[in-house]
Amino acid sequence: MKGKLVRAEGHLANIIPIHLDASFFFERAVRSLDRNHVDKALKYFRKAVEYEPENPVNHCNMAGILSEKGDYEASNAVLAHVLDVVDPSMTECYFYMANNYANMDRFEEAEKALVTYLEEDPQGQFMTEAEEMMELLYYELDRPAKLNRIKSRKGVVEHDQARELLEEGKFAQAAELLEGMSPDYPDYLAARNNLALAYYYMGLFPKARETIAEVLEQEPGNLHALCNLAIFHQNENRADQVLLLIKKLRVIMPFQQEQVYKLATTMGILGQHDSAYVHFRRLLKDEETAADPALAHYAAVAAYNTERYDVAERLWRHVSKLDPGSEVSKFYLSGLDAVRQGELEPEKLSYHYHLPFDEQFRQWENYGSGIPEEMKNDPLIRSSFFWALRHGDRATKLQVIHALAMIGDYEVQQALQSFIQEPEEDQDLIAAAEAVLNGLHMQEQDQRKSHDQQPVAGAAVKPFQKVQSSTEQAKSETTSHWQAVVERALQMTEAKAELQQEMERIWTDYVSRVHPEVPGTKQIEGWAAGLEYLAAKIHSRPVTYQSIAERYGISASTVSKYARQIVRVCGSIPPTV
């Protein structure tokens, strides 16, 4: 008996005991999935949940299998349990739920879950997939999602919008947006730097300097902030502070393209033209920036200011090839020739890719053409106007007030309103500014009345006949530009007969809503590409931003920008009648 027990014990000693825990069932589930045994995998994941009910990963795996089986309701019930009970920080569950709702064609609920994911998830693990789903929902629901922020991008959406406003010269609107970001993103230094720039362009130097001081307190070596501060000090004639910053900046050799550009322009503004020349030449050797006419002009200015006249001439001739319609290179080449002939004394040139301030006024007055549309939206020109309005002499301020009357948008009205509240300003100038403001307000009222009396867009006649018939003769050139957008889209569309009516209908709706405001003529390609993209999507054509962008010779982000702008204004793209 004793021997039998020994043999039994020896036999038992060769058996490896099974530990029935969550890991065991997890491994069995994975093995079943590898063999495509979905039902077995689900059973094993259920057992893993039983052994470790506090582990959210087990629940998510079980939800994933249920989704694979097409049981989307049960999958979402599991995911809701994770968020409500197990681990509310598992924000990716909202993304999984959005997928399930989309598979059930419950697009409103899918949108709600997806927006929650984007606004709450700090990592952005499924950012690419979420953006693709957002585009799907946009077309299914026929409207953009009500998305306020993307948490994982830490204010990138708002900051990108603000940068676009700065690039368009809409400094007051950019400042409002960036000010709203500050409490939520106190560590977002790029946004703070751009807020300082917005204040600077508006002539609000104390606020600009205060904002930069906050950035440097958090990051003393921030290059953009140091550059901005140096320029601010120069504007306030703080020579000692400027020299200290120049010493710091001269020894910096950044490698990022954006930082090189910032340092180059800053050194040029500070009068360090030799240093500016070195950095601009570095940028011209980069394939990504070599074809930028503005950059070539800046390098030419730096060369001229350091008496490298032969180099300056070559660069301005290069500008003429890159931007053949521009008067800038012709003007400076003529001036360079006059200096070489001894007809003009050489003077330091400023780093702006437009004609000098006095020359612009002279041309506008001589030809009576007013300010060209594209120049109204040029942030450099607009900022020079705002700066001169606050810091120019009396004659220049008067010229600027008359010039701003020709622009007359929200930014201009804000600037003039601030100007007339300055207690130390000349009363004649304040009266001139008030007259311009009153004229702009009356013009707005007339435009609103005219707009209210316009026929409803979308009638059976040709759409652009409607727009043109209600537009004053003085605005016929603007209307022609609107027509040029749809004509460009029709010209570029591969399936012209199919999409022509759709594009005209969408564009008419958009024009009727934004009239009388118009974009600059340089934006025709972007508007046309965005218009074609929307029309193609409505007709379920397999297009992407990239495929449209390649045909128009622009970036995919530009196509997306203009398509979304049309949708923002129209609220939704109405279905084909």
Side-chain angles (χ1 to χ4, degrees):
M1 188 71 171
K2 190 175 180 180
K4 289 181 182 178
L5 286 174
V6 170
R7 282 195 297 274
E9 286 174 2
H11 178 70
L12 289 172
N14 292 327
I15 296 175
I16 300 173
I18 297 175
H19 297 290
L20 298 180
D21 57 10
S23 297
F24 170 79
F25 289 109
F26 174 82
E27 289 171 6
R28 288 296 179 96
V30 171
R31 200 178 305 164
S32 297
L33 280 177
D34 290 340
R35 295 171 182 171
N36 205 27
H37 298 159
V38 179
D39 290 331
K40 275 191 175 181
L42 178 59
K43 289 180 182 178
Y44 287 130
F45 276 131
R46 287 190 192 280
K47 294 297 291 184
V49 167
E50 288 178 16
Y51 276 88
E52 282 187 3
E54 75 287 349
N55 186 341
V57 175
N58 293 330
H59 291 270
C60 288
N61 286 326
M62 185 168 69
I65 295 296
L66 288 167
S67 184
E68 284 286 322
K69 287 171 61 65
D71 194 350
Y72 305 117
E73 290 278 12
S75 177
N76 273 358
V78 173
L79 295 168
H81 176 74
V82 172
L83 290 166
D84 293 339
V85 178
V86 182
D87 187 357
S89 70
M90 289 282 288
T91 47
E92 58 264 44
C93 290
Y94 290 112
F95 175 74
Y96 302 142
M97 292 173 79
N99 273 281
N100 286 334
Y101 283 129
N103 282 319
M104 291 187 282
D105 291 342
R106 290 160 60 176
F107 299 115
E108 293 278 358
E109 291 163 284
E111 179 191 51
K112 183 178 178 182
L114 188 61
V115 167
T116 304
Y117 167 73
L118 291 170
E119 292 186 342
E120 299 300 329
D121 186 72
Q123 304 301 324
Q125 179 183 355
F126 300 106
M127 182 58 60
T128 302
E129 295 88 344
E131 288 176 342
E132 290 175 357
M133 190 188 300
M134 190 68 78
E135 189 168 333
L136 165 71
L137 295 175
Y138 161 64
Y139 286 104
E140 291 291 348
L141 297 172
D142 203 21
R143 58 169 173 76
K146 298 171 184 176
L147 179 64
N148 296 317
R149 63 179 179 138
I150 298 178
K151 188 170 184 177
S152 64
R153 291 188 174 174
K154 299 178 180 177
V156 168
V157 174
E158 301 93 323
H159 185 229
D160 285 348
Q161 292 173 354
R163 287 185 65 172
E164 284 184 17
L165 290 170
L166 281 174
E167 289 169 3
E168 293 168 5
K170 297 176 180 177
F171 308 121
Q173 293 179 52
E176 288 173 9
L177 183 56
L178 292 165
E179 285 169 346
M181 283 180 60
S182 297
D184 295 329
Y185 306 102
D187 298 327
Y188 200 164
L189 300 186
R192 304 292 292 169
N193 272 323
N194 279 323
L195 177 58
L197 281 179
Y199 288 147
Y200 170 74
Y201 289 142
M202 293 161 67
L204 305 176
F205 295 137
K207 292 184 76 172
R209 192 174 62 253
E210 179 184 336
T211 306
I212 286 299
E214 292 170 1
V215 173
L216 290 172
E217 187 176 342
Q218 289 181 256
E219 189 179 301
N222 187 288
L223 180 61
H224 282 265
L226 290 171
C227 289
N228 290 339
L229 185 61
I231 293 170
F232 299 163
H233 282 323
Q234 178 167 277
N235 271 308
E236 296 175 337
N237 297 317
R238 299 184 175 189
D240 292 344
Q241 296 295 326
V242 174
L243 286 173
L244 286 174
L245 285 166
I246 285 174
K247 287 180 181 178
K248 268 187 183 179
L249 295 173
R250 285 190 71 90
V251 298
I252 296 175
M253 189 63 67
F255 291 99
Q256 291 183 16
Q257 187 184 97
E258 186 181 357
Q259 290 189 338
V260 177
Y261 192 91
K262 179 70 176 181
L263 184 57
T265 53
T266 300
M267 297 306 276
I269 293 169
L270 296 176
Q272 304 299 301
H273 306 296
D274 56 340
S275 180
Y277 177 76
V278 169
H279 293 303
F280 282 130
R281 295 292 296 198
R282 286 177 64 200
L283 287 169
L284 284 176
K285 293 175 182 177
D286 191 318
E287 289 183 4
E288 290 184 27
T289 53
D292 183 354
L295 177 60
H297 169 71
Y298 301 150
V301 170
Y304 177 90
N305 287 341
T306 53
E307 299 183 4
R308 295 177 170 93
Y309 295 146
D310 291 341
V311 176
E313 180 182 359
R314 287 199 300 272
L315 287 167
W316 273 318
R317 294 199 183 282
H318 184 53
V319 172
S320 298
K321 293 177 183 177
L322 294 174
D323 191 4
S326 172
E327 293 291 324
V328 174
S329 55
K330 296 177 186 176
F331 175 83
Y332 285 105
L333 281 168
S334 175
L336 175 59
D337 187 54
V339 168
R340 282 171 163 169
Q341 298 290 335
E343 298 170 7
L344 279 179
E345 287 294 322
E347 295 180 355
K348 300 300 182 188
L349 302 179
S350 65
Y351 291 82
H352 291 303
Y353 186 50
H354 56 69
L355 295 174
F357 205 57
D358 292 341
E359 179 65 16
Q360 287 171 12
F361 279 123
R362 186 186 66 78
Q363 289 194 8
W364 296 335
E365 289 170 359
N366 286 350
Y367 298 110
S369 57
I371 304 176
E373 193 65 39
E374 64 271 17
M375 298 186 78
K376 290 181 182 180
N377 296 321
D378 188 321
L380 292 175
I381 292 176
R382 292 170 70 95
S383 65
S384 68
F385 282 166
F386 295 150
W387 186 91
L389 184 63
R390 287 181 172 272
H391 305 285
D393 56 31
R394 187 183 184 283
T396 300
K397 287 182 178 181
L398 191 58
Q399 282 182 314
V400 167
I401 290 169
H402 292 315
L404 292 177
M406 290 186 271
I407 302 176
D409 59 15
Y410 172 79
E411 301 286 330
V412 164
Q413 293 183 37
Q414 291 287 98
L416 291 174
Q417 194 65 48
S418 176
F419 178 78
I420 65 176
Q421 293 171 0
E422 290 291 332
E424 298 179 3
E425 278 298 344
D426 187 295
Q427 289 303 309
D428 291 341
L429 294 175
I430 289 177
E434 286 176 336
V436 168
L437 275 173
N438 291 335
L440 292 173
H441 291 154
M442 290 176 64
Q443 195 175 20
E444 283 182 351
Q445 291 173 2
D446 291 342
Q447 287 169 349
R448 275 195 288 269
K449 289 178 184 176
S450 174
H451 181 56
D452 291 341
Q453 293 169 2
Q454 284 185 37
V456 177
V461 298
K462 268 288 188 182
F464 285 94
Q465 291 174 354
K466 288 284 184 183
V467 176
Q468 290 175 347
S469 64
S470 62
T471 305
E472 298 170 352
Q473 185 64 32
K475 296 180 182 176
S476 61
E477 188 177 336
T478 292
T479 306
S480 175
H481 164 55
W482 284 111
Q483 181 72 45
V485 170
V486 76
E487 285 178 353
R488 181 60 174 159
L490 293 175
Q491 179 187 9
M492 295 293 291
T493 304
E494 293 174 342
K496 190 171 183 178
E498 179 186 356
L499 299 183
Q500 177 175 354
Q501 186 178 358
E502 192 68 66
M503 289 192 293
E504 288 185 339
R505 183 183 58 77
I506 295 171
W507 194 235
T508 301
D509 182 45
Y510 180 77
V511 168
S512 68
R513 291 172 185 269
V514 301
H515 181 76
E517 292 188 11
V518 294
T521 55
K522 288 186 176 180
Q523 301 165 328
I524 286 176
E525 295 292 322
W527 285 114
L531 180 61
E532 181 184 339
Y533 178 83
L534 292 175
K537 281 295 184 179
I538 288 174
H539 282 270
S540 301
R541 287 173 57 82
V543 297
T544 63
Y545 291 133
Q546 188 61 43
S547 66
I548 295 283
E550 287 173 359
R551 286 196 293 106
Y552 281 84
I554 57 181
S555 68
S557 62
T558 298
V559 182
S560 172
K561 170 186 172 182
Y562 288 107
R564 293 178 190 279
Q565 174 64 16
I566 293 171
V567 174
R568 275 200 297 270
V569 170
C570 295
S572 64
I573 299 300
T576 305
V577 182

